[in-house]
Amino acid sequence: MTTCILADDELHLTRYLADQLKAAWPELEIVGIAANGVEADALIAKHQPDLAFLDIQMPGHTGLEVAQAIEGHTRVVFVTAYDEYAVQAFDDGEFAVGLHARVERVDAQVLGDLLRGGLGVAGGHHDRDSILVEPA
């Protein structure tokens, strides 16, 4: 079973994402929910999930900082309601060298299909792909 954590400082968006993911990908197991980057770091270290759905702007550590600190196989999906944060972060080179970004707007069903069929879980810190998802 594929496991994930969700991290967003806006609880209503986290609930919305959890509901959408459960509907689109019933076999996905959400092993933890974080309200900030520090909690996200701890959940990732504890559970070593296959996926981490991270908001980009969070207190404690940003989603980008959390993603850069991951050791292990966890892949990152950036979730944001404000695409300017993501685009600016990628344009400014805030993303670690060797991480690849795929930025697009997708709904939960398309995301589930993409993650189940296209990304698979890869090992190593520097060969993770990242996806930006904006709620529809």
Side-chain angles (χ1 to χ4, degrees):
M1 176 177 283
T2 302
T3 60
C4 75
I5 63 114
L6 309 178
D8 196 316
D9 58 322
E10 296 186 51
L11 184 57
H12 67 284
L13 293 177
T14 306
R15 286 185 187 140
Y16 173 79
L17 178 60
D19 291 343
Q20 293 296 306
L21 287 169
K22 287 175 187 174
W25 193 353
E27 55 279 351
L28 179 67
E29 180 183 3
I30 299 171
V31 295
I33 295 177
N36 59 57
V38 174
E39 290 177 9
D41 285 335
L43 285 173
I44 292 167
K46 177 180 178 180
H47 296 287
Q48 292 293 303
D50 299 307
L51 300 166
F53 292 86
L54 305 175
D55 185 19
I56 292 178
Q57 291 295 320
M58 294 186 290
H61 298 137
T62 68
L64 293 169
E65 292 168 332
V66 172
Q68 290 172 342
I70 293 173
E71 294 180 6
H73 69 274
T74 302
R75 298 184 82 113
V76 174
V77 179
F78 289 114
V79 183
T80 184
Y82 308 102
D83 62 350
E84 66 271 12
Y85 291 139
V87 172
Q88 188 64 46
F90 292 118
D91 286 347
D92 289 349
E94 292 180 23
F95 223 177
V97 173
L99 294 180
H100 304 285
R102 180 175 178 170
V103 179
E104 58 186 86
R105 294 176 189 202
V106 297
D107 65 22
Q109 184 64 50
V110 171
L111 177 64
D113 293 345
L114 177 68
L115 292 172
R116 277 192 303 269
L119 287 181
V121 176
H125 177 71
H126 292 291
D127 54 4
R128 275 192 310 276
D129 290 293
S130 297
I131 299 171
L132 165 70
V133 179
E134 297 175 85

PDB file of all heavy atoms in Angstrom, residues 8 11 19 22 63 68 114:
ATOM      1  N   ASP A   8       0.038  21.168   5.601  1.00  0.00           N
ATOM      2  CA  ASP A   8      -0.486  22.474   5.199  1.00  0.00           C
ATOM      3  C   ASP A   8      -0.930  23.188   6.461  1.00  0.00           C
ATOM      4  O   ASP A   8      -1.518  22.568   7.346  1.00  0.00           O
ATOM      5  CB  ASP A   8      -1.666  22.308   4.234  1.00  0.00           C
ATOM      6  CG  ASP A   8      -1.992  23.583   3.482  1.00  0.00           C
ATOM      7  OD1 ASP A   8      -2.009  24.671   4.111  1.00  0.00           O
ATOM      8  OD2 ASP A   8      -2.232  23.501   2.272  1.00  0.00           O
ATOM      9  N   LEU A  11      -5.982  24.193   7.718  1.00  0.00           N
ATOM     10  CA  LEU A  11      -6.622  22.921   8.002  1.00  0.00           C
ATOM     11  C   LEU A  11      -7.735  22.595   7.008  1.00  0.00           C
ATOM     12  O   LEU A  11      -7.888  21.446   6.601  1.00  0.00           O
ATOM     13  CB  LEU A  11      -7.159  22.905   9.433  1.00  0.00           C
ATOM     14  CG  LEU A  11      -7.783  21.601   9.902  1.00  0.00           C
ATOM     15  CD1 LEU A  11      -6.806  20.438   9.779  1.00  0.00           C
ATOM     16  CD2 LEU A  11      -8.271  21.742  11.330  1.00  0.00           C
ATOM     17  N   ASP A  19      -9.875  14.436   1.566  1.00  0.00           N
ATOM     18  CA  ASP A  19     -11.129  13.917   1.006  1.00  0.00           C
ATOM     19  C   ASP A  19     -10.992  13.604  -0.478  1.00  0.00           C
ATOM     20  O   ASP A  19     -11.453  12.568  -0.952  1.00  0.00           O
ATOM     21  CB  ASP A  19     -12.270  14.919   1.210  1.00  0.00           C
ATOM     22  CG  ASP A  19     -12.686  15.057   2.665  1.00  0.00           C
ATOM     23  OD1 ASP A  19     -12.339  14.177   3.481  1.00  0.00           O
ATOM     24  OD2 ASP A  19     -13.361  16.055   2.986  1.00  0.00           O
ATOM     25  N   LYS A  22      -8.768  10.479  -0.935  1.00  0.00           N
ATOM     26  CA  LYS A  22      -9.476   9.255  -0.560  1.00  0.00           C
ATOM     27  C   LYS A  22     -10.461   8.834  -1.640  1.00  0.00           C
ATOM     28  O   LYS A  22     -10.619   7.640  -1.921  1.00  0.00           O
ATOM     29  CB  LYS A  22     -10.191   9.438   0.778  1.00  0.00           C
ATOM     30  CG  LYS A  22      -9.248   9.467   1.962  1.00  0.00           C
ATOM     31  CD  LYS A  22      -9.985   9.779   3.244  1.00  0.00           C
ATOM     32  CE  LYS A  22      -8.993   9.979   4.382  1.00  0.00           C
ATOM     33  NZ  LYS A  22      -9.662  10.429   5.615  1.00  0.00           N
ATOM     34  N   GLY A  63       7.703  24.284   2.573  1.00  0.00           N
ATOM     35  CA  GLY A  63       7.658  23.002   1.900  1.00  0.00           C
ATOM     36  C   GLY A  63       8.936  22.704   1.146  1.00  0.00           C
ATOM     37  O   GLY A  63       9.386  21.560   1.074  1.00  0.00           O
ATOM     38  N   GLN A  68      13.873  19.496   0.711  1.00  0.00           N
ATOM     39  CA  GLN A  68      15.331  19.422   0.589  1.00  0.00           C
ATOM     40  C   GLN A  68      15.958  18.600   1.710  1.00  0.00           C
ATOM     41  O   GLN A  68      17.032  18.038   1.535  1.00  0.00           O
ATOM     42  CB  GLN A  68      15.923  20.821   0.558  1.00  0.00           C
ATOM     43  CG  GLN A  68      15.599  21.550  -0.729  1.00  0.00           C
ATOM     44  CD  GLN A  68      16.016  23.008  -0.710  1.00  0.00           C
ATOM     45  OE1 GLN A  68      16.248  23.587   0.334  1.00  0.00           O
ATOM     46  NE2 GLN A  68      16.102  23.602  -1.877  1.00  0.00           N
ATOM     47  N   LEU A 114      -1.679   9.882 -12.115  1.00  0.00           N
ATOM     48  CA  LEU A 114      -0.284  10.221 -12.389  1.00  0.00           C
ATOM     49  C   LEU A 114       0.655   9.540 -11.407  1.00  0.00           C
ATOM     50  O   LEU A 114       1.640   8.915 -11.790  1.00  0.00           O
ATOM     51  CB  LEU A 114      -0.099  11.744 -12.326  1.00  0.00           C
ATOM     52  CG  LEU A 114       1.306  12.279 -12.526  1.00  0.00           C
ATOM     53  CD1 LEU A 114       1.754  12.037 -13.961  1.00  0.00           C
ATOM     54  CD2 LEU A 114       1.340  13.769 -12.213  1.00  0.00           C
TER      55      LEU A 114
END
